[in-house]
Amino acid sequence: MGIPVTIENPKPEAEAGLNDLVALVADGMARVNTTILSRTGSEVAMIPEVANHLIASGGKRLRPILTLACAQLCGYADAEGRDGDVKLAASVEFMHTATLLHDDVVDESDMRRGRVAARIKWGNEASVLVGDFLLGQAFRMMVEVGSLRALDILSAAATVIAEGEVMQLTNAKNLETDEAAYLAVIRGKTAELFAAACEVGPVLAGRGEAEQAAARAYGMGLGIAFQLIDDVLDYGGTSAELGKNVGDDFREGKITLPIVLAHRRGTAEERAFWQRTLQRGEIEDGDLETALAILRRHGALEETMARAEGYGAEARAALDAFPDGPVKAALLGAVEFCVARAH
Amino acid sequence: MGIPVTIENPKPEAEAGLNDLVALVADGMARVNTTILSRTGSEVAMIPEVANHLIASGGKRLRPILTLACAQLCGYADAEGRDGDVKLAASVEFMHTATLLHDDVVDESDMRRGRVAARIKWGNEASVLVGDFLLGQAFRMMVEVGSLRALDILSAAATVIAEGEVMQLTNAKNLETDEAAYLAVIRGKTAELFAAACEVGPVLAGRGEAEQAAARAYGMGLGIAFQLIDDVLDYGGTSAELGKNVGDDFREGKITLPIVLAHRRGTAEERAFWQRTLQRGEIEDGDLETALAILRRHGALEETMARAEGYGAEARAALDAFPDGPVKAALLGAVEFCVARAH
C-alpha cells in the first residue's frame, strides 16, 4: 500500500543518536545476545524455532540496551562476574518478545518486523505457549540475579503490561476513548517496560530510591514518546523501514492518539467516516487515503509528535539526577532518536 | 453425548480421601481464597471478570491445597504473619489458572469446568492477556514471600509447563507418539506444577534437600497419576461430573496413553480407524462408540489405570521421608482420591 506521505524514514542524525548508546553497551549487548540464544534453547525443537524466528528478525533491542546503560550510568560493577546486568537485560528482552508473540494472537497480525508472524507459520497455539516459555525463562534469569527488588519491579511490570493490553482491548473500536484513556493504555502496554528496564539499573548498582525513581521517570517518558511516534509512523512510515504496513492500526480499528485528536475536532461527516471505518470495520479502497487527509487537515500527526516531544523533555529532565558523562549524553541521544524518527 | 460406560463417578470413599486433606488445610485455604479474590482485582474491569469466571467455577484447588499441606507436613510456622504458605499457594493456583486460560486458546475449547470457556465469552485475546496478568500476579506474590529458592522452583516450573504444552502440540494427531513421549508431555504439562507446589512446602519450612526432593517426588507421582486418570475419564466420565464432555480428547485428536496402548496392539483395520479419526480428524457419528469399543477390547483404559496406580505408589513411597501423622495420612489419602476416582 505504498502511499506517498510527508513523513519520512529516520534521519541519519536520529540514528546517530542511538548509535552512541549502542557503542557504549556493545560488550554487554554481545553477552546479552549470547544469553538470549542459549536461553531460548530447549529439547522441544519448536521452542527455539519459534522464539528465534522473532528474535533473529532484529528489532533494535532498545529495552535491554536501556538496562545495561542505566546500570552503567550508576556505576554498576560486575565484581563477582554474575552478569547481573546482562541477565536482567535479557529478561527484559524476553518479556518484550513474549508480549509480541501474544500480541500477534490478540491482534490477529499476519506480519511482525517485516516477516510473517509466528502465529501464521506455527499457529496461535505455538505463539501463546512459546511466549509463556520465554516469560518463564525471563523470571528464571531474574531469580539467578538474586535481587528481590529487581524481581519486584519486573514482575509488577508484567502485570501492568497485561493491564495495558486489556485496556487497549476494551478501547478497541471505541471512538469515545479520550486522550487520558489512551495514555493509560500506552503507559501500560509500552512505557512500563521501558521504565522497569531503566529502573533495575540503579537497583543493581545498589543506588537509593531517588536514583531509582529518576531512572524510572526517564524510561517512562521515553517509552511514552516512543509509542506516540510509533502511532504516528503507523500513518506515515514506509513498510520496508517499519516491518509493518502503513495503516495497520487503521485496519485493526485501533484508537491511537492521532485518531483521538482528529475525532475530537472532526466534522459530523468526518465522525461518520471514523465510525464506519474504525468502529464498524467497514473499510473500502481509498479509505486509508481519506483517513490520512483528515489527520493532516487537523494537524493530528504533528500534534501527536508535539506530545511526544513533551514526554521526551520529561525523560531528559529526569536525567538531571545523574552527573554528566558519556552514558548520560548517550541516554539523552536516545530520546532524540525516539522522537526524531518521525520527522 | 451421554454414552453409557463402565467407568463411573468417584466413589464416596475416594472423595473422603481428599476430604481429610481439605479439612486439615481449611483455615489456610480460606486465606488462599481471599488472597485469590483480592489479587484478581484491577481497575481494568475486564480482568477480574474474566479471571473470576474461571476461578469461581470451582475446581478442587488441589495444587494450593498441596502447597499448604506440604508446608504443614514440614512444620512451617508462619511466625512473622507473612502468610508465606498462603501466598505461594495462591501463586500456584494463579499459575494453574493462567495455564487453563491459555490452554483454552490452544485447544480451541468451548467449555471449561462445565461453563462456557472464557475465550468464547470474551475472546481469545482476553484469555491470553488475563492469563498473562495472573502469571504476573503469581510472580509478584512469590516475590513478596521473599524466598529465592521458592521463586527458582516455581519459575522453572513455568518454563517446564510451557515445554510440556508445546510437546503436546508437536505430538497432536501423531499416532507415532510412544509411551515415553506421552509421559514426557504429562510430566511437563501437569505433574511439574504438582511437584513444584509440593516442593515449596519444605522450602518455606527451611527443610533440607532430602525433604525437598521427597515432597517433589510425591507431587510428581501424584500429578502423573492424576493426569493418567483424567485421560481415562475423558473416555468414561460423565459430563456433569467432569465439566467437559466425554470424548473431548478424541475429537481434538489428542494422543493420550489409552490411545497409545490401543494403537500399539491394534489390528490394521483399527489403526486405519485411528488414522482417519485422530490423525485426519474425520470423525463421523458413532466413531466415539467405536473408539471406546477398541479401547475396551485391548484393556487400554484398565492398563492406563494400572499405570496410574504405579505412579500413585511412587508418590506414597516418597512420603516415607516424613514421620507419620495426620498430614502424612491425608496426603496418602489424596493419592487414593486421585487414583480411585476412575474406578
Side-chain angles (χ1 to χ4, degrees):
Chain A
M1 282 234 178
I3 295 163
V5 282
T6 50
I7 294 162
E8 287 159 12
N9 296 344
K11 282 187 192 167
E13 58 266 40
E15 287 282 12
L18 197 60
N19 285 346
D20 286 351
L21 197 61
V22 169
L24 273 169
V25 299
D27 286 355
M29 277 307 290
R31 294 213 302 286
V32 169
N33 290 334
T34 310
T35 304
I36 283 174
L37 271 180
S38 75
R39 298 299 175 116
T40 53
S42 166
E43 287 175 21
V44 185
M46 194 192 258
I47 290 177
E49 232 176 280
V50 175
N52 292 329
H53 171 79
L54 182 55
I55 290 170
S57 71
K60 289 171 291 296
R61 309 231 163 137
L62 198 46
R63 296 158 190 80
I65 287 174
L66 290 171
T67 299
L68 295 183
C70 288
Q72 204 169 320
L73 177 70
C74 294
Y76 171 69
D78 186 22
E80 298 162 50
R82 293 180 69 184
D83 259 0
D85 54 347
V86 169
K87 283 181 180 167
L88 287 187
S91 296
V92 163
E93 185 66 7
F94 272 12
M95 285 175 68
H96 177 54
T97 310
T99 306
L100 293 184
L101 283 167
H102 287 184
D103 268 5
D104 285 343
V105 174
V106 167
D107 292 345
E108 302 183 344
S109 309
D110 299 335
M111 299 288 287
R112 167 70 67 186
R113 290 181 178 160
R115 304 179 78 171
V116 164
R119 69 168 207 103
I120 297 294
K121 211 163 165 186
W122 290 276
N124 277 342
E125 312 91 304
S127 292
V128 170
L129 297 175
V130 175
D132 290 349
F133 175 82
L134 293 178
L135 215 48
Q137 288 291 58
F139 279 101
R140 288 185 74 175
M141 282 190 278
M142 293 174 214
V143 173
E144 286 172 26
V145 175
S147 159
L148 280 167
R149 178 84 188 109
L151 269 158
D152 185 27
I153 291 164
L154 288 167
S155 59
T159 67
V160 172
I161 293 166
E163 284 184 312
E165 300 267 2
V166 175
M167 257 191 277
Q168 174 168 273
L169 203 62
T170 312
N171 293 345
K173 302 178 197 300
N174 177 10
L175 284 164
E176 302 305 308
T177 307
D178 62 13
E179 192 166 342
Y182 169 79
L183 276 170
V185 167
I186 68 170
R187 273 180 190 277
K189 76 162 191 168
T190 306
E192 177 68 27
L193 189 55
F194 277 77
C198 292
E199 191 178 0
V200 296
V203 167
L204 267 180
R207 297 299 184 94
E209 283 183 22
E211 275 145 312
Q212 290 175 33
R216 179 175 172 78
Y218 167 79
M220 184 61 77
L222 184 69
I224 296 174
F226 181 87
Q227 183 62 58
L228 288 171
I229 296 300
D230 240 27
D231 293 342
V232 169
L233 287 170
D234 204 281
Y235 284 98
T238 62
S239 180
E241 189 61 37
L242 272 185
K244 57 179 183 172
N245 297 316
V246 171
D248 272 355
D249 289 350
F250 180 69
R251 279 183 291 271
E252 288 170 18
K254 274 195 187 155
I255 314 297
T256 58
L257 190 57
I259 301 295
V260 171
L261 297 173
H263 183 263
R264 192 203 288 163
R265 296 163 191 164
T267 62
E269 194 188 347
E270 286 169 2
R271 290 187 175 204
F273 170 81
W274 297 124
Q275 272 156 27
R276 171 173 64 78
T277 53
L278 295 174
Q279 208 151 301
R280 300 204 301 274
E282 297 164 14
I283 296 183
E284 296 160 11
D285 276 358
D287 278 347
L288 180 57
E289 288 78 356
T290 306
L292 284 166
I294 300 175
L295 292 175
R296 273 196 218 99
R297 190 174 312 147
H298 296 291
L301 297 180
E302 290 72 13
E303 188 163 338
T304 301
M305 282 157 59
R307 294 280 203 295
E309 287 280 4
Y311 287 102
E314 283 186 19
R316 279 188 211 98
L319 291 179
D320 287 348
F322 302 97
D324 289 340
V327 183
K328 178 168 160 178
L331 285 168
L332 291 168
V335 177
E336 222 46 60
F337 161 77
C338 282
V339 174
R341 67 203 168 108
H343 278 292
Chain B
M1 284 235 176
I3 294 163
V5 283
T6 50
I7 295 160
E8 287 158 13
N9 297 342
K11 283 187 189 162
E13 57 267 38
E15 287 283 11
L18 197 59
N19 285 346
D20 285 351
L21 196 62
V22 169
L24 274 169
V25 299
D27 287 355
M29 277 307 290
R31 295 213 302 288
V32 168
N33 290 332
T34 310
T35 304
I36 284 174
L37 271 179
S38 75
R39 299 298 174 116
T40 53
S42 166
E43 286 176 20
V44 185
M46 194 194 259
I47 289 177
E49 233 176 281
V50 175
N52 292 328
H53 171 78
L54 182 54
I55 289 169
S57 70
K60 289 172 291 297
R61 309 234 160 136
L62 199 47
R63 295 158 190 81
I65 287 174
L66 289 172
T67 299
L68 295 182
C70 287
Q72 204 169 320
L73 177 71
C74 295
Y76 171 70
D78 186 25
E80 298 163 51
R82 293 180 68 185
D83 260 359
D85 54 346
V86 169
K87 282 181 180 166
L88 288 187
S91 296
V92 163
E93 185 66 7
F94 272 13
M95 285 175 69
H96 177 54
T97 310
T99 307
L100 294 184
L101 283 167
H102 287 183
D103 269 2
D104 285 343
V105 175
V106 169
D107 292 345
E108 303 185 342
S109 310
D110 299 335
M111 299 288 286
R112 169 69 69 185
R113 290 181 179 161
R115 304 179 77 172
V116 165
R119 70 168 205 102
I120 298 294
K121 211 164 164 183
W122 290 277
N124 277 342
E125 312 91 304
S127 291
V128 170
L129 297 174
V130 175
D132 290 349
F133 175 82
L134 293 178
L135 216 48
Q137 288 290 59
F139 279 101
R140 288 184 75 175
M141 281 190 278
M142 293 173 214
V143 173
E144 286 174 26
V145 175
S147 159
L148 280 168
R149 176 83 187 111
L151 268 159
D152 185 28
I153 291 164
L154 289 167
S155 59
T159 66
V160 173
I161 292 167
E163 284 184 312
E165 300 267 1
V166 175
M167 257 190 276
Q168 174 169 272
L169 204 62
T170 312
N171 293 344
K173 302 179 199 298
N174 177 9
L175 283 164
E176 301 306 308
T177 307
D178 62 12
E179 193 166 344
Y182 170 78
L183 276 170
V185 168
I186 68 170
R187 272 179 191 277
K189 76 163 189 168
T190 306
E192 177 69 25
L193 189 54
F194 276 76
C198 292
E199 191 178 359
V200 296
V203 167
L204 268 179
R207 295 301 184 94
E209 283 182 22
E211 276 145 314
Q212 290 175 34
R216 178 174 172 79
Y218 167 80
M220 185 60 79
L222 184 69
I224 296 174
F226 182 86
Q227 183 61 57
L228 288 171
I229 296 299
D230 241 28
D231 294 343
V232 169
L233 286 170
D234 205 282
Y235 285 99
T238 62
S239 179
E241 189 61 36
L242 273 185
K244 56 177 183 173
N245 297 317
V246 171
D248 272 356
D249 288 350
F250 179 70
R251 280 182 292 272
E252 288 168 18
K254 275 196 187 154
I255 313 296
T256 58
L257 189 57
I259 302 294
V260 171
L261 297 173
H263 183 262
R264 192 202 290 163
R265 295 165 192 164
T267 62
E269 193 188 348
E270 286 169 0
R271 290 186 175 205
F273 170 81
W274 296 125
Q275 272 156 26
R276 171 173 64 78
T277 52
L278 295 175
Q279 208 149 302
R280 300 204 301 275
E282 298 164 12
I283 295 183
E284 297 160 11
D285 276 358
D287 278 346
L288 180 57
E289 288 78 356
T290 305
L292 284 166
I294 300 175
L295 292 176
R296 273 197 220 98
R297 190 174 313 148
H298 296 292
L301 298 179
E302 290 71 13
E303 188 162 337
T304 301
M305 282 157 60
R307 294 278 204 293
E309 286 280 4
Y311 287 102
E314 284 185 17
R316 279 189 211 98
L319 291 179
D320 287 350
F322 301 97
D324 290 340
V327 183
K328 179 168 159 179
L331 286 168
L332 290 167
V335 177
E336 221 46 60
F337 162 78
C338 281
V339 175
R341 66 203 170 108
H343 279 293

